[in-house]
Amino acid sequence: MPDHVKKQCNQQYSYTVIVNLFTSRDEIKDYKNKNVRINSDQKLSKDELTQRAVNVVEGLVETRTEFNEYDSVQVAGVTFANAYKREH
């Protein structure tokens, strides 16, 4: 596991997931990417990892003011960027 990941993670596994969002405002459509780091003591399946990443981004959409200006924000896609397992 790279040092920059070790500093942020005390758990066994660390995943980076990119969640692609489709946004619209006043008939202007756009895409935005949000990088999400998911840490876990257990190895996660693709479905579990996808659900956790989408939950994090949905929380951001509901709470961050940057998303208030949009009429609509939808998850358009999920990409698994990398995964690390902590070495003992």
Side-chain angles (χ1 to χ4, degrees):
M1 183 179 292
D3 289 337
H4 73 280
V5 175
K6 286 180 186 178
K7 290 178 186 176
Q8 299 174 5
C9 176
N10 292 327
Q11 294 172 307
Q12 185 71 23
Y13 296 92
S14 181
Y15 304 90
T16 302
V17 180
I18 302 167
V19 179
N20 183 256
L21 301 173
F22 173 75
T23 61
S24 64
R25 173 185 55 189
D26 300 328
E27 298 185 29
I28 298 171
K29 295 171 177 38
D30 195 12
Y31 289 91
K32 297 191 172 298
N33 289 324
K34 291 294 177 187
N35 295 334
V36 179
R37 169 136 320 128
I38 304 292
N39 298 317
S40 175
D41 284 325
Q42 301 171 10
K43 187 174 181 180
L44 299 176
S45 70
K46 288 181 183 178
D47 289 342
E48 290 172 310
L49 191 53
T50 299
Q51 189 59 55
R52 287 189 188 194
V54 168
N55 288 348
V56 168
V57 171
E58 285 177 346
L60 292 175
V61 169
E62 291 175 8
T63 60
R64 290 249 176 114
T65 56
E66 70 182 279
F67 293 104
N68 290 345
E69 63 191 60
Y70 297 106
D71 300 324
S72 175
V73 179
Q74 300 173 349
V75 173
V78 176
T79 302
F80 304 109
N82 57 44
Y84 296 107
K85 180 179 179 186
R86 183 179 270 294
E87 299 169 5
H88 294 286

